[in-house]
């Protein structure tokens, strides 16, 4: 199984109690769907040579975490060794998005061009600090942080891996 065909939905940060529950920091916009009872996730951890398929037995939200348990892992000792692991889904489990919505992995690698035709570089990362996402672009001018707002991002063409932006004052 190639790790490239899987996409992260959460990080297993700690155990929660003695009954095999874990605290998961979600990295998905769809935690209600991804962590629903009965769903299957794949655990990637440095101690595993292959991803471990897990089925969700229970889930509840608590503060900024999802408290999740998995079938067959009823005690803290069964699951504690996987702290720090990444929970992922296979590509075929990705949800359909609305028009003008995209997954981060679709943005990474897109060429960014200004509305005046200057190529700035490629998107290498997407940060999610709060109010809006910030796209990290690396190119000739070094690293540029572009806020994902209408005044800045003018066009996103995922099929052609191209983004058109307006360089607002203060971005360079």
């Amino acid at each position: 199984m190639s790790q490239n065909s899987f996409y992260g939905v959460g990080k297993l940060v700690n155990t929660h109690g003695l009954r095999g529950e874990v605290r998961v920091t979600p990295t998905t916009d769809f935690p209600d769907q991804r962590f629903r009872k009965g769903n299957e996730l794949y655990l990637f951890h440095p101690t595993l040579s292959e991803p471990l398929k897990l089925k969700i037995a229970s889930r509840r939200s608590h503060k900024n975490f999802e408290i999740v348990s998995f079938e067959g892992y009823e005690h803290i000792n069964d699951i504690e060794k996987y702290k720090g692991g990444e929970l992922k889904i296979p590509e075929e489990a990705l949800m359909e998005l609305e028009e003008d919505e995209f997954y981060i992995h679709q943005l990474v690698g897109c060429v960014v061009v200004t509305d005046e035709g200057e190529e700035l570089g490629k998107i290498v990362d997407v940060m999610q600090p709060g109010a809006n996402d910030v796209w990290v672009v690396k190119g000739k001018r070094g690293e540029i942080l572009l806020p994902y707002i209408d005044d800045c991002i003018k066009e996103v063409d995922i099929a052609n891996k191209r983004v058109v932006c307006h360089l607002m004052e203060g971005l360079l």
Side-chain angles (χ1 to χ4, degrees):
M1 253 187 244
S2 166
Q3 190 164 350
N4 293 336
S5 61
F6 286 85
Y7 299 96
V9 294
K11 184 168 178 74
L12 201 154
V13 293
N14 210 342
T15 55
H16 186 85
L18 300 174
R19 295 193 176 135
E21 290 182 314
V22 292
R23 195 176 305 165
V24 175
T25 302
T27 56
T28 175
D29 289 336
F30 313 107
D32 291 339
Q33 292 94 335
R34 296 296 176 210
F35 300 107
R36 185 179 308 146
K37 181 179 178 176
N39 276 7
E40 292 180 341
L41 300 175
Y42 290 83
L43 175 69
F44 287 74
H45 192 272
T47 61
L48 299 169
S49 59
E50 287 284 317
L52 178 63
K53 188 179 196 178
L54 298 169
K55 190 170 192 175
I56 296 177
S58 69
R59 172 253 182 182
R60 68 185 189 279
S61 295
H62 179 68
K63 297 184 180 174
N64 294 329
F65 299 101
E66 298 295 324
I67 306 298
V68 179
S69 67
F70 302 104
E71 290 182 7
Y73 296 84
E74 283 83 29
H75 193 271
I76 186 173
N77 294 339
D78 299 333
I79 198 77
E80 187 172 32
K81 60 188 168 203
Y82 298 126
K83 281 196 306 192
E86 293 282 335
L87 294 170
K88 299 185 178 194
I89 56 167
E91 187 168 16
E92 57 270 15
L94 290 175
M95 299 175 69
E96 281 292 318
L97 299 178
E98 299 290 322
E99 191 175 326
D100 295 331
E101 290 184 332
F102 5 81
Y103 286 104
I104 290 173
H105 72 268
Q106 293 174 310
L107 294 170
V108 172
C110 285
V111 173
V112 178
V113 179
T114 68
D115 49 5
E116 295 174 351
E118 179 188 352
E119 186 174 312
L120 297 176
K122 290 186 178 184
I123 298 174
V124 295
D125 194 13
V126 175
M127 299 186 305
Q128 298 177 303
N132 54 267
D133 291 354
V134 177
W135 298 356
V136 181
V137 178
K138 285 198 177 169
K140 294 177 273 188
R141 294 188 182 209
E143 186 175 276
I144 301 170
L145 303 178
L146 298 176
Y148 181 52
I149 56 175
D150 291 340
D151 288 346
C152 182
I153 306 299
K154 297 300 182 184
E155 180 185 331
V156 179
D157 182 353
I158 293 296
N160 293 308
K161 301 292 278 178
R162 180 179 158 89
V163 171
V164 177
C165 75
H166 172 71
L167 276 183
M168 298 165 30
E169 195 172 319
L171 285 180
L172 293 179

